[in-house]
Amino acid sequence: MSNIFEKSAVEQVAGNGDGIEEVSSWPEAQPLRRELPPPDPYPIEALGAVLTPAALKTHEVVQSPKAICGQSFLAAATLSVQAFADIEIDGRLSPASNSFISIADSGERKTATDHIALAPVSKRQKDLCKEYSFSQAEHDADVSAWKKAKEDALSGANKTQGSKKRALMDLGPEPEPPINPIFTVEEPTYEGLVKSLVIGWPSIGIFSDEGGRFIGGHGMNSENQLKTAAGMSKLWDGSPLTRTRVGDGNYVLYGRRLSVHLMIQSEVSSILFGNRLLTNQGFLSRCLPCFPESTIGQREYRGVPLSDTHEIKSYFASMMGILETPLPLAEGTKNELE
């Protein structure tokens, strides 16, 4: 009998006169993973009188997939309104916050679309940062004056403990710093996210057109991903954040909001959605994903100044009206939402 291992790789041995028979070829190989079914149409018409026209106009001009346009505008709007309202379902209140994951490979114009949708958010954050620089300079002067007044209140050989106490009570506590106005971040650690919510804006978003930086970053590595995902899930639920640390002390954070929009490529999505820990923990079930069919090779250049169109102007004005509204803060607090 000839050595069967010397036969062609496409031959299969099944038996002949000696119990061995040759068959012409192996069965056709089957893929280890099933193909994804075609995506359902994105319900872009459900986004309302402001977001739908803006998303459709962006799709028309930029020619990124409709789903990417819908996700970008819905996520930007969610970030803008989450500080002002909650959702009531059957008497239960939940944050208006949400988490979005948009999957599209390089060349689908994710970044161009996201920049248009986030233009009002970027404008408001830039304006607040300018105001913050002046407020911080004023705060530094106030602290210097307060420290000098405190020194004067405690000085003097003839002052009793009671008179010093009264002087300090009259002086009041050290001036508090202004609120840090950064409310969009790309790849925070969980500790950095919580620190930002302690000293900064109470309504923030993790937004990245290169979401792989966050998924592959320090906050989501094997040692930290459970902590990060669990903490983000608590914010998604609207639960207070509690922390007890030697360096930072003890605190409970109420009235904080977080939305997320990560734009990732298909290879990165396999890492994310294939992560059993994130699935079992419930993080992925709190995300709204989309994976539209590609529009690459189907686009012709359209020289339309998108920012001058009625749809985008209306969107920009509506968003700025929301973003420039003073935050509804709980009485006696500087950064806790009511």
Side-chain angles (χ1 to χ4, degrees), residues 233-282:
S233 295
K234 283 182 69 68
L235 284 165
W236 187 91
D237 295 334
S239 303
L241 291 180
T242 61
R243 277 179 70 81
T244 302
R245 295 292 185 274
V246 173
D248 296 337
N250 304 328
Y251 51 79
V252 182
L253 299 181
Y254 297 96
R256 303 307 200 271
R257 293 291 180 263
L258 172 71
S259 281
V260 179
H261 186 201
L262 301 177
M263 294 183 136
I264 59 178
Q265 298 188 6
S266 56
E267 288 187 2
V268 179
S269 73
S270 299
I271 298 172
L272 181 64
F273 287 95
N275 189 312
R276 182 176 296 180
L277 186 149
L278 296 181
T279 300
N280 293 339
Q281 191 276 330

Side-chain angles (χ1 to χ4, degrees), residues 55 94 194 317:
S94 300
V194 173

Side-chain angles (χ1 to χ4, degrees), residues 80-335:
S80 302
V81 305
Q82 66 180 359
F84 299 95
D86 289 331
I87 304 299
E88 182 178 352
I89 302 175
D90 300 330
R92 293 173 286 110
L93 291 179
S94 300
S97 310
N98 216 329
S99 298
F100 304 85
I101 298 176
S102 299
I103 307 166
D105 288 325
S106 180
E108 296 290 0
R109 299 181 177 174
K110 303 187 296 295
T111 299
T113 302
D114 211 40
H115 283 182
I116 296 165
L118 285 175
V121 175
S122 300
K123 172 68 165 58
R124 179 56 175 159
Q125 185 165 262
K126 185 176 181 180
D127 292 343
L128 287 171
C129 285
K130 289 181 180 178
E131 296 176 11
Y132 176 76
S133 63
F134 291 108
S135 298
Q136 186 62 47
E138 185 177 3
H139 168 71
D140 292 342
D142 288 340
V143 169
S144 296
W146 181 87
K147 288 181 177 179
K148 182 63 171 67
K150 180 181 178 182
E151 182 181 334
D152 293 342
L154 296 176
S155 63
N158 297 327
K159 286 186 177 180
T160 64
Q161 181 176 352
S163 64
K164 291 180 180 180
K165 179 180 178 180
R166 285 191 297 272
L168 291 175
M169 293 295 290
D170 292 339
L171 178 61
E174 181 176 341
E176 292 189 353
I179 296 299
N180 190 311
I182 301 299
F183 53 88
T184 56
V185 293
E186 288 194 67
E187 48 175 327
T189 62
Y190 179 66
E191 290 80 7
L193 189 66
V194 173
K195 189 69 172 180
S196 177
L197 291 170
V198 171
I199 66 173
W201 214 250
S203 172
I204 63 176
I206 302 175
F207 276 61
S208 178
D209 57 1
E210 293 292 345
R213 292 175 57 193
F214 175 68
I215 295 170
H218 183 72
M220 291 292 280
N221 65 22
S222 59
E223 296 179 357
N224 296 319
Q225 64 180 219
L226 178 58
K227 172 178 58 179
T228 300
M232 291 170 63
S233 295
K234 283 182 69 68
L235 284 165
W236 187 91
D237 295 334
S239 303
L241 291 180
T242 61
R243 277 179 70 81
T244 302
R245 295 292 185 274
V246 173
D248 296 337
N250 304 328
Y251 51 79
V252 182
L253 299 181
Y254 297 96
R256 303 307 200 271
R257 293 291 180 263
L258 172 71
S259 281
V260 179
H261 186 201
L262 301 177
M263 294 183 136
I264 59 178
Q265 298 188 6
S266 56
E267 288 187 2
V268 179
S269 73
S270 299
I271 298 172
L272 181 64
F273 287 95
N275 189 312
R276 182 176 296 180
L277 186 149
L278 296 181
T279 300
N280 293 339
Q281 191 276 330
F283 172 73
L284 294 177
S285 64
R286 291 173 167 87
C287 297
L288 179 65
C290 78
F291 190 179
E293 292 181 342
S294 174
T295 59
I296 294 176
Q298 308 171 38
R299 304 183 295 229
E300 295 181 359
Y301 175 73
R302 292 175 182 168
V304 177
L306 190 57
S307 59
D308 292 337
T309 62
H310 168 73
E311 294 85 350
I312 297 301
K313 284 183 175 180
S314 177
Y315 165 75
F316 192 92
S318 297
M319 289 279 284
M320 290 304 295
I322 296 169
L323 291 164
E324 291 176 345
T325 301
L327 294 176
L329 299 178
E331 186 176 355
T333 69
K334 65 176 184 176
N335 65 341

